[in-house]
């Protein structure tokens, strides 16, 4: 038994039990002497348990049975997904399995932890993006995530935690340091985009499920999130949501998804000073306000709907005016002096995700994203190779993130650029074949793919694997390829299969109270195999 008396008054014990007892035992080693005949076997059972933290440990056989049953039930909650490409089928299976590994359950329902080993905890941004990625196939994650984050929505101004009324958490940690108040991460709110993503997920969940009870239950949280945007997110009233470097010890200098210290830098490599208005954050604001306007209209609040639409349209125009630095090029951010941070990065691809750009500008943006300084061949890099801070082995300055690419591909599809979206999906799926167990990691290095010598993507040594939004990327890429979009009282399908897919079948896709079985062939022809419940189906 290993024991530790914490400064928080908690005693933590880890018990290691061996059966049968070893022949020799010390604190460092257990030694067995075995004599086995040919083809003989001997079973040694090792059980590790944290005492006082739950029920007595199960036997190995019982634990395997329990986990197997849990995985079977989890898989049964997803539609049946099949494609003609066995590699893609394995990737789908692995991704769904990884989401099960990261699933947490509580009184709010199911939600996911961010990743193993570094982020085995609830993260607002990660959970929200993962829930969005998986929503078409597993709405329970979205509902649980929304309820969990609504429960911990900010209530007061607390500089230590960076909490503000209406703000959605960034991260929640547990343990001795958290209990002693030595870290703000017991409930840390240092994320500029979680609140906006909460609104987007809320609206998308209602579009998929038609759950009016959830709509009304969380409407007060939505109103508080909208108030946060105007009162605390936009501190100076210029229409942009910004953040300042953390004033809290242990807090974050950068508070978008690229939250490393050096991720927001000018063209000369110097670090940008805040307040920082990230380009993708403004896209999320536009998207969130347009989506919530639709729900406000449904609830009869026409004044709020009109105001949100006007604000969203105005902000979209301002983004195109203030962030554009070249044809199809948008600065990663505006700095504290309201000057563009002229770094060409993947962030601008989220303008497509948010539906900010009109067709002609979107076309230029897609073309720019697919240029070789950004497109590694395995996926779009976080930062252009031409930037002085580019490093393909860095965390945010030249690496490739599957979730980033999945969101950009989704945006390309939304803007009507099917082939570009498929190109991104192809790179990520082909990259997955080179990783252990075909598990998409949190990120990988951004070295250029060499087709002549059949190069493989280089692993980022300390990447989380499994990681929630990397696993969720596979499902969002499938949704993107199939062009599945919920519409009032129905669903729209606009499939465009890449060459490596000759057929895709989906059985049990749920939209509201209805469900749908369909198949798509290589000519993008859709066959409806079964329809349960009233549902209008549009095929393009």
């Amino acid at each position: 038994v290993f024991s530790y008396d914490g400064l928080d008054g908690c005693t933590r014990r880890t018990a290691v039990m061996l059966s049968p007892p070893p022949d020799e035992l010390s604190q460092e080693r257990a030694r067995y002497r075995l004599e086995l005949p040919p083809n003989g076997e001997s079973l040694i059972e090792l059980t590790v348990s944290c005492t006082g933290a739950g029920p007595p440990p199960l036997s190995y056989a019982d634990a395997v049975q329990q986990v197997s049953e849990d995985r079977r039930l989890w898989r049964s909650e997803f539609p049946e997904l099949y494609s003609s490409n066995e590699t893609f089928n394995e990737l789908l299976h692995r991704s769904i399995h990884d989401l099960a590994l990261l699933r947490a359950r509580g009184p709010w329902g199911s939600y996911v932890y961010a990743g193993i080993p570094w982020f085995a905890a609830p993260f607002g941004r990660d959970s929200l993006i993962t829930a969005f990625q998986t929503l078409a196939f597993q709405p329970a994650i979205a509902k649980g995530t929304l309820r969990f984050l609504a429960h911990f929505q900010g209530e007061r101004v607390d500089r230590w935690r960076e909490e503000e009324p209406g703000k959605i958490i960034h991260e929640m940690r547990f343990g001795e340091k958290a209990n002693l108040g030595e870290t703000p991460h017991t409930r840390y709110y240092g994320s500029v985009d979680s609140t906006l993503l909460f609104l987007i997920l809320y609206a998308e969940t209602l579009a998929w499920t038609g759950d009016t009870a959830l709509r009304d239950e969380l409407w007060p949280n939505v109103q508080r999130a909208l108030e946060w945007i105007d009162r605390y997110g936009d501190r100076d009233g210029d229409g942009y949501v910004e953040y300042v470097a953390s004033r809290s010890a242990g807090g974050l200098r950068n508070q978008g998804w690229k939250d490393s210290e050096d991720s927001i830098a000018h063209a000369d490599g110097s670090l940008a000073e805040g307040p920082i208005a990230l380009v993708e954050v403004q896209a999320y604001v536009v998207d969130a306000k347009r989506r919530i306007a639709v729900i406000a209209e449904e609830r009869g609040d026409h004044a709020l709907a009109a105001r949100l639409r006007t604000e969203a349209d105005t902000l979209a125009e301002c983004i195109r005016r203030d962030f554009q630095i070249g044809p199809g090029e948008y600065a990663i951010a505006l700095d504290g002096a309201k000057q563009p941070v002229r770094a060409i990065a993947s962030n601008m691809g989220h303008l497509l995700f948010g539906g900010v750009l009109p067709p002609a500008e979107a076309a230029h943006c897609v073309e720019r994203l697919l240029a070789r300084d950004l497109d590694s061949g395995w996926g779009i890099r976080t930062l252009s190779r031409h930037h002085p801070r580019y490093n393909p082995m860095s965390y945010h300055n030249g690496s490739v993130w599957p979730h980033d690419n999945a969101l950009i591909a989704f945006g390309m599809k939304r803007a009507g650029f099917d082939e570009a979206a498929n190109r991104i999906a192809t790179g990520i799926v082909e990259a997955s074949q080179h990783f252990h167990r075909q598990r998409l990691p949190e990120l990988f290095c951004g070295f250029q793919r060499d087709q002549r010598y059949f190069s493989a993507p280089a692993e980022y040594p300390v990447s989380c694997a499994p990681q929630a939004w990397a696993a969720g990327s596979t499902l969002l890429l499938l949704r993107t390829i199939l062009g599945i979009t919920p519409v009032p009282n129905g669903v729209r399908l606009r499939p465009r299969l890449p060459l490596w897919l000759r057929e895709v079948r989906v059985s049990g896709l749920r939209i509201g109270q209805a469900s749908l079985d369909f198949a798509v062939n290589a000519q993008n022809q859709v066959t409806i195999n079964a329809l349960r419940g009233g549902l209008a189906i549009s095929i393009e």
Side-chain angles (χ1 to χ4, degrees), residues 217-230:
E217 173 192 342
L218 297 182
W219 185 249
N221 302 94
V222 168
Q223 291 177 303
R224 294 173 62 206
L226 290 171
E227 291 169 4
W228 177 84
I229 293 174
D230 296 332

Side-chain angles (χ1 to χ4, degrees), residues 231-264:
R231 182 173 180 183
Y232 297 99
D234 181 12
R235 298 171 188 275
D236 57 7
D238 66 347
Y240 293 127
V241 171
E242 302 133 332
Y243 66 87
V244 294
S246 175
R247 301 170 187 170
S248 177
L252 295 168
R253 172 189 172 92
N254 289 312
Q255 298 186 1
W257 84 262
K258 294 178 181 176
D259 54 9
S260 29
E261 290 284 313
D262 62 347
S263 60
I264 311 300

